[in-house]
Amino acid sequence: MTTTNSHVITCKGIVSWGKGEPLKVEEIQVEPPKSNEVRVKMLYASVCRTDLLFANGFPIPAFPRVMGHEGVGVVESFGEGVTGLREGDLVIPAYIAECKTCETCMSEKTNLCLKYPLSYNGLMLDGSSRMSIRGQTAYHAFSCSTWCQYLVINVNFLIKIDPKTPLPDASFLSCGFSTGYGATWKEAMVKNGSSVAVFGLGAVGLGAIKGAKSHGAIKVIGIDNNPMKAAKGRAFGMTDFINPEESDKSIAELVKDLTAGMGVDYSFECTGVPPLINQAIQSTKLGTGKIIQMGVEEPNVNINIIGLLVGRTLKGSIFGGLKAKTDLPIIYSKCKNREIQLDELLSHEIKLEDVDSF
C-alpha cells in the first residue's frame, strides 16, 4: 500500500554547513518516500551531545547535514512495502534497527542488526538522500534528521508508540535517557546490592542512574563538574555526588573514599572525555570491575592498559545495548506507568522558527 502524498515538501530545518560554523535554519526540500520508507512530520525534538559531534564533522564530515536524531512525530505518508503503519500514527525514529531475523538480532549478545546496519554516512540505504537545500544534497544525522519539520526514514528504523505518550517523554526516550538506562540493564546487567559510578549527568547519565537504582544498586555515585546536576541526579536515585572541581584528589580516589577503598562494581562513562575514561576504569573494583563506555569525544584515546590487565572489563555500547523494537516498548511502558518520570530532563523549549543560530 502507498499513500498519495507524493509531492516534494518544502519546510524548515536546522543545518550544519561545516566544522566550526554556526547552525542555521534553512528551507529544505524533502522528497516523498520510496519503497519501504516513511515520511514523518516531526512534532518535537530534543538535543543530544552526539548532535554537537555531527555538527563538527564527527565521525564523517558530510555537509550540509540536517541535524537531530532524537524526536517524535506522526506518519505523513509512506511508500510501497510499508506495513503496520497508517497516516497519523505517532512514531519515533531510531538509529538502531531490529529485523528480528539476522544472526545478531536473534542473539542476546548485541543490538547491532546486520540486515539494516548502523550508518554514519547520512544517506538512505540505497546510498541517496531524500533531502536537499537549494539543489544541493543534504545529509542526515544517523538514519534521520529530527531537527527538521519533515524527514524520510526507512521503516525498519521507525517505532510506533502509544499516542498518549507525552511528546517530551517520547523524544527523550528515543535516544539519550534510554541509552543510559539500557546500559545498566542490557550491557552491565547491574546486580541487586551493587555499587555504581556514573560519569556525566546529562540525559544518558541520568538514565544510567535510574536504571542502576531500578535494578537494585544500593550506592549510585554521580560525577559532574556542574553543581546544578546534583539535584537532578538525586531525583533519579543518585545516593552520592562528586564534583571533581571541589577536590584535589582524582575522581577514582574520591569514588574509593565512598566505597571503603574498594571502588564500585560498575562504571558508566557518558562523556567521552579521554581522561575520564581512565578514571572510570580506575574507579572500579580490581578483578571484577566492569566499565561501560557510551560517550565519545575523539576517535582515538589513550587507555591505561594496566587498569584492564588486573581483571577489569571495558565494554563499548551503542544505544545502551537496547534492541529497538523489543526493548524500547518496555521502557516506554515504564514511563507510561510512572515508574520512570522524566520531568527533570526538560530544561526549556523553543520553537523551530524562533531558532536563529547556536
Side-chain angles (χ1 to χ4, degrees):
M1 178 180 178
T2 299
T3 54
T4 56
N5 298 335
S6 58
H7 59 287
V8 173
I9 290 177
T10 297
C11 62
K12 294 185 182 298
I14 300 175
V15 177
S16 171
W17 285 94
K19 182 177 180 179
E21 295 188 23
L23 302 181
K24 295 182 179 180
V25 176
E26 300 278 9
E27 282 200 345
I28 299 170
Q29 286 69 51
V30 181
E31 297 175 8
K34 295 185 178 181
S35 177
N36 295 311
E37 295 176 356
V38 179
R39 189 159 60 185
V40 178
K41 179 182 180 180
M42 295 305 299
L43 302 177
Y44 201 98
S46 44
V47 180
C48 176
R49 181 179 175 83
T50 305
D51 295 314
L52 305 181
L53 296 175
F54 273 119
N56 284 300
F58 179 88
I60 297 175
F63 299 108
R65 193 182 288 271
V66 185
M67 300 300 299
H69 68 281
E70 291 187 0
V72 57
V74 292
V75 173
E76 181 268 342
S77 58
F78 50 86
E80 292 286 351
V82 173
T83 59
L85 290 174
R86 60 183 181 182
E87 290 182 24
D89 280 347
L90 192 66
V91 292
I92 61 166
Y95 58 91
I96 295 292
E98 182 186 0
C99 72
K100 296 190 175 184
T101 59
C102 73
E103 178 182 347
T104 56
C105 282
M106 296 177 69
S107 164
E108 291 298 318
K109 294 181 179 180
T110 179
N111 61 340
L112 296 176
C113 179
L114 296 177
K115 189 174 182 180
Y116 304 105
L118 175 68
S119 173
Y120 298 105
N121 65 10
L123 298 172
M124 305 297 291
L125 294 180
D126 65 1
S128 64
S129 175
R130 303 290 172 270
M131 310 178 89
S132 61
I133 304 171
R134 297 184 290 276
Q136 183 175 353
T137 296
Y139 298 88
H140 291 147
F142 286 125
S143 62
C144 57
S145 293
T146 60
W147 296 2
C148 189
Q149 291 171 319
Y150 289 85
L151 63 84
V152 175
I153 187 171
N154 184 281
V155 68
N156 293 284
F157 293 88
L158 205 59
I159 302 163
K160 181 180 175 180
I161 62 173
D162 188 329
K164 296 180 181 179
T165 306
L167 297 183
D169 291 358
S171 187
F172 290 137
L173 291 177
S174 67
C175 177
F177 186 89
S178 294
T179 294
Y181 191 97
T184 67
W185 169 29
K186 306 296 289 190
E187 301 281 28
M189 301 179 185
V190 168
K191 300 292 191 297
N192 190 50
S194 61
S195 55
V196 166
V198 179
F199 289 71
L201 302 188
V204 176
L206 294 174
I209 286 175
K210 181 62 178 179
K213 198 68 175 177
S214 298
H215 289 88
I218 57 175
K219 181 170 281 293
V220 181
I221 304 168
I223 301 147
D224 202 292
N225 59 10
N226 183 349
M228 295 178 63
K229 296 294 183 71
K232 291 186 178 292
R234 292 191 179 96
F236 287 97
M238 182 184 73
T239 60
D240 301 89
F241 180 71
I242 293 174
N243 182 343
E245 295 185 352
E246 295 178 349
S247 175
D248 292 330
K249 292 184 177 181
S250 70
I251 296 174
E253 290 174 314
L254 294 171
V255 169
K256 289 175 181 177
D257 286 346
L258 293 171
T259 54
M262 296 293 292
V264 292
D265 296 298
Y266 311 95
S267 277
F268 297 90
E269 208 297 302
C270 310
T271 72
V273 177
L276 294 186
I277 299 173
N278 283 306
Q279 287 297 305
I281 294 170
Q282 296 295 337
S283 294
T284 62
K285 292 178 178 177
L286 289 172
T288 61
K290 192 167 188 177
I291 307 93
I292 307 299
Q293 182 64 40
M294 290 172 281
V296 60
E297 189 173 85
E298 299 177 10
N300 299 296
V301 298
N302 292 319
I303 298 295
N304 184 345
I305 194 65
I306 300 299
L308 297 177
L309 288 178
V310 291
R312 299 181 178 104
T313 302
L314 173 63
K315 187 180 190 303
S317 177
I318 290 287
F319 200 37
L322 295 171
K323 293 180 184 291
K325 296 184 184 295
T326 298
D327 298 325
L328 262 188
I330 296 173
I331 298 180
Y332 273 83
S333 177
K334 290 180 181 294
C335 185
K336 181 180 178 181
N337 297 334
R338 305 301 287 170
E339 295 175 52
I340 296 176
Q341 299 184 39
L342 302 178
D343 299 343
E344 287 292 330
L345 292 183
L346 181 60
S347 60
H348 61 285
E349 299 174 320
I350 57 173
K351 294 181 179 180
L352 177 64
E353 52 266 33
D354 294 335
V355 176
D356 189 9
S357 64
F358 293 86

